[in-house]
Amino acid sequence: MAQPRYQLGIDIGSTTAKLALLDENATLRFSTYRRHNAETINTLLAALNEARAQLGDIPLQLQITGSAGMGVSEVYEIPFIQEVVSSAEVVKRLYPDVKTLIDIGGEDAKMIFFHEKGVPDIRMNGSCAGGTGAFIDQMATLLNIPVAELNALAQKHEKVYPIASRCGVFAKTDVQNLLSRQISHEDIAASIFHAVALQVVATLSRGNDPTPKLLMCGGPLTFLPALRTAFMDVLKLDDDSILRAEHSELLPAMGAALSANGTSLHTTISDLIARLDNPPIHVFTGENRLAPLFKSKEDFERWEFTRNQNKAPRADIADADGEHVFLGVDSGSTTTKLVLTDVDGRVLFSHYTGNNGDAIGAVKNGLAKIRDLFRARENPPHIARTVVTGYGEDLIHAVFGFDMGMVETLAHFRAARAFDPDVSFILDIGGQDMKAIYVQDGHIQNIELNEACSSGCGSFIETFARSMGYSVADFAAKATTAQSPSDLGTRCTVFMNSKVKQSLREGASVNDISAGLAYSVIKNALHKVLKITNTDVLGDHILVQGGTFRNPAVHKAMETLLEKPVLCPDISELMGAYGAALTGRDEYLDTR
């Protein structure tokens, strides 16, 4: 007697891979839900090996679904079913009482209305990822807490505040504002979930009221009970209106399995593993690829040696015993920087730290380190001037009684001139903002700032690095060895995600993606924000600064695109604080 054939559904989303293996009675016999970190095939192979170890080499019929599943389908010739179709199928088969389905994934959101007669009304988000898991991840990162802790905090909230969820850039501004007002993390967490619920309902319902029974699925709605509660509050529904499905995070995968029929792939687990382990030969055409940043490891090492020559003058704190010194603080939106210099402009001390939602505490910690240094000296230096700049200038100036505050662009300009008195153009890229300063005859002629788009900023690359399971430093290092960087264009994070997935589907490596993103940061700055068509306007003395340029790939991408040398100081992330300290020194010397 032939062994019954199992039904396998594979759902590969933007950040996770899900498998649902059903027997002939539609009973779930094996399942998994895990992040793939852009290593989709390795993740699938690991899961399939686990299934084989548990169930043996059973016969299968399978289909694949998900936003990143189409690429696997095309390369490995596995039948594909649209995610919303598979979700609708599992609801019709297993949960016929459901009238509305809300599904939130890593980068997408879906709402399906089931009418008694006719085809289900399917709605999906378009270009905005505001109401998705990626948005929640960004907000948790901003608060420097795990997503699970965000859920625990939200369950203890007392009040909900308005947050713009249509874009992570605007939302970060709102959250920073709440943090500066000392609003509790509990209330902020609940406000984030409430904003997601409002975004999804407002964007996807469009004339249809979600009606009971309502089923919520997808990773965020499965694993974040506070998010489900936020949806119930927005929709004004009680517990009796909600159908709680077992394994709701697996619904699209289960739908793909249940839909498997004569057109699905018939195989065994071992044969499927062999298929995934031996991909068809991919003929690289060179399309949508850019020139490598470096031709070889030796080429990178030579370039890195030259880059490392642009060093700020330094001295030991002991050299300033009994002398006047000058403190500069750059209180940014996400980080705080402190620099202490002597009368000759030499760096005696520097400190770089994340704010973690507490700008005052970040400055206090830096000052405590300076205090400890001074206490260790018999004749410690005397801080003659204190200057603050940056996003938190007014707050820090008032709280700590600094001598003066200064405009951030002027601080960066002052620091740049310390490295190149003839500087003609300064590009500063931070975590969420970008500043371009045009200089002529030693004077600022024009200043350009980015507005709503953060795709050319440091958080842009950081988001992708984390989504792929890498630290920012490791992700940057991979870019330096890329042989065929992906041409990802100048797009916002939402659209860039789809471009990255397309590149992975075409055989691009993580190295190629990392280098392509470095190119995109600079292309975005030059063409999308500054709208530069003729690079001659930048002059020949170009200097870059800001934490983003700690990434050597971004620095080299700018040189490659401009075909000009670009100076990057070794304290690029500290330049605002360094310029503030130098300004304090200048003011002190002028008044002596």
Side-chain angles (χ1 to χ4, degrees):
M1 183 176 176
Q3 186 178 2
R5 190 172 293 278
Y6 285 66
Q7 295 170 291
L8 174 63
I10 299 174
D11 175 12
I12 306 178
S14 57
T15 57
T16 58
K18 288 79 69 178
L19 273 71
L21 186 57
L22 311 179
D23 63 17
E24 67 275 16
N25 297 316
T27 301
L28 187 66
R29 297 290 303 278
F30 174 86
S31 67
T32 186
Y33 176 101
R34 60 187 71 179
R35 286 187 177 267
H36 55 63
N37 297 323
E39 300 287 348
T40 53
I41 301 304
N42 289 337
T43 303
L44 287 180
L45 287 170
L48 289 168
N49 276 299
E50 291 175 17
R52 183 171 60 180
Q54 181 175 322
L55 300 173
D57 190 21
I58 54 176
L60 303 170
Q61 56 183 16
L62 74 139
Q63 291 188 118
I64 193 167
T65 189
S67 58
M70 184 174 291
V72 177
S73 169
E74 293 174 352
V75 173
Y76 296 92
E77 299 179 346
I78 299 173
F80 179 81
I81 180 173
Q82 288 289 344
E83 189 175 358
V84 287
V85 175
S86 63
S87 295
E89 180 65 24
V90 74
V91 168
K92 288 192 293 183
R93 295 272 291 271
L94 301 182
Y95 308 106
D97 293 336
V98 167
K99 302 301 180 186
T100 309
L101 173 72
I102 299 176
D103 181 357
I104 294 181
E107 294 171 5
D108 53 20
K110 298 172 283 292
M111 190 177 290
I112 304 177
F113 298 95
F114 296 91
H115 305 296
E116 291 189 11
K117 295 182 180 180
V119 178
D121 184 356
I122 297 172
R123 314 284 182 86
M124 292 187 67
N125 66 323
S127 61
C128 180
T132 70
F135 175 82
I136 296 172
D137 285 345
Q138 284 185 351
M139 296 302 102
T141 299
L142 182 62
L143 295 175
N144 196 37
I145 58 175
V147 173
E149 187 175 335
L150 193 71
N151 178 78
L153 288 170
Q155 292 177 322
K156 302 174 185 177
H157 82 281
E158 295 181 358
K159 184 177 180 180
V160 170
Y161 295 83
I163 291 177
S165 71
R166 64 190 183 278
C167 175
V169 179
F170 296 117
K172 286 177 181 178
T173 301
D174 288 344
V175 171
Q176 288 288 354
N177 178 265
L178 293 175
L179 290 170
S180 69
R181 291 162 51 195
Q182 304 296 307
I183 302 301
S184 72
H185 279 43
E186 288 82 358
D187 287 352
I188 294 175
S191 301
I192 289 168
F193 288 148
H194 186 260
V196 170
L198 282 176
Q199 171 76 5
V200 171
V201 172
T203 304
L204 300 184
S205 60
R206 296 195 307 270
N208 275 299
D209 291 329
T211 55
K213 293 275 190 171
L214 187 143
L215 174 59
M216 292 185 257
C217 67
L221 283 169
T222 299
F223 300 116
L224 301 173
L227 180 61
R228 293 199 300 271
T229 300
F231 270 89
M232 292 171 64
D233 290 343
V234 168
L235 294 171
K236 296 179 172 56
L237 297 175
D238 56 23
D239 283 336
D240 293 337
S241 303
I242 307 299
L243 191 151
R244 301 187 185 279
E246 191 176 8
H247 304 296
S248 59
E249 77 278 13
L250 301 174
L251 249 61
M254 292 176 66
L258 290 169
S259 308
N261 51 36
T263 62
S264 57
L265 176 65
H266 291 241
T267 184
T268 64
I269 292 186
S270 291
D271 287 345
L272 179 57
I273 289 173
R275 178 186 289 245
L276 295 173
D277 226 358
N278 297 280
I281 297 174
H282 176 73
V283 180
F284 174 61
T285 62
E287 295 179 359
N288 301 319
R289 298 300 178 100
L290 301 167
L293 294 171
F294 301 99
K295 297 177 182 178
S296 63
K297 180 181 178 182
E298 292 73 23
D299 184 27
F300 169 67
E301 289 173 348
R302 285 192 296 269
W303 178 86
E304 183 76 351
F305 176 80
T306 301
R307 166 182 159 99
N308 289 335
Q309 302 311 300
N310 301 310
K311 295 182 177 180
R314 285 176 168 81
D316 190 89
I317 193 72
D319 297 332
D321 279 353
E323 301 292 329
H324 286 136
V325 295
F326 310 91
L327 175 65
V329 173
D330 181 1
S331 177
S333 58
T334 58
T335 60
T336 291
K337 290 77 68 177
L338 284 78
V339 170
L340 194 70
T341 70
D342 64 10
V343 73
D344 295 319
R346 296 180 299 177
V347 176
L348 303 170
F349 167 86
S350 64
H351 179 67
Y352 181 101
T353 185
N355 289 344
N356 299 327
D358 184 6
I360 295 173
V363 174
K364 186 181 295 184
N365 290 337
L367 293 176
K369 292 180 182 296
I370 295 176
R371 179 197 59 199
D372 293 342
L373 280 176
F374 282 17
R375 282 178 175 175
R377 311 302 309 165
E378 290 185 8
N379 184 23
H382 170 71
I383 299 179
R385 289 288 188 279
T386 53
V387 183
V388 61
T389 189
Y391 179 87
E393 174 198 335
D394 292 338
L395 176 66
I396 301 305
H397 191 183
V399 170
F400 293 96
F402 273 46
D403 294 320
M404 62 182 289
M406 68 181 301
V407 177
E408 191 174 0
T409 49
L410 293 179
H412 286 285
F413 175 51
R414 177 63 186 89
R417 291 197 65 193
F419 283 87
D420 183 356
D422 298 320
V423 63
S424 58
F425 177 76
I426 304 162
L427 180 62
D428 176 77
I429 301 180
Q432 295 179 35
D433 58 7
M434 179 190 310
K435 294 175 286 292
I437 304 172
Y438 296 83
V439 182
Q440 186 174 350
D441 299 328
H443 299 284
I444 295 177
Q445 294 297 306
N446 188 30
I447 297 172
E448 297 275 358
L449 305 174
N450 69 317
E451 296 175 353
C453 182
S454 68
S455 58
C457 300
S459 57
F460 177 71
I461 288 183
E462 180 182 2
T463 298
F464 277 98
R466 292 189 177 186
S467 71
M468 292 184 171
Y470 295 96
S471 67
V472 176
D474 289 343
F475 193 63
K478 286 187 170 293
T480 64
T481 60
Q483 295 303 303
S484 303
S486 301
D487 186 357
L488 302 172
T490 56
R491 304 157 71 87
C492 78
T493 305
V494 177
F495 293 115
M496 192 68 75
N497 285 330
S498 61
K499 192 74 172 178
V500 167
K501 283 182 279 189
Q502 178 185 336
S503 294
L504 290 169
R505 191 165 74 216
E506 293 171 351
S509 66
V510 173
N511 303 40
D512 296 332
I513 298 297
S514 180
L517 288 169
Y519 270 115
S520 289
V521 165
I522 301 303
K523 285 183 174 181
N524 182 80
L526 297 179
H527 306 310
K528 190 175 180 183
V529 176
L530 303 179
K531 297 178 174 59
I532 293 173
T533 56
N534 180 5
T535 58
D536 289 342
V537 300
L538 306 182
D540 295 320
H541 292 264
I542 299 169
L543 184 143
V544 293
Q545 54 191 36
T548 301
F549 285 103
R550 297 172 74 182
N551 182 339
V554 177
H555 179 191
K556 185 59 165 65
M558 186 161 181
E559 290 190 331
T560 301
L561 291 169
L562 293 179
E563 298 181 343
K564 293 181 178 182
V566 174
L567 191 155
C568 180
D570 68 326
I571 57 169
S572 63
E573 73 278 15
L574 302 171
M575 292 290 274
Y578 185 50
L582 291 178
T583 300
R585 190 275 312 259
D586 297 343
E587 194 269 347
Y588 169 78
L589 293 177
D590 288 343
T591 56
R592 286 183 65 179

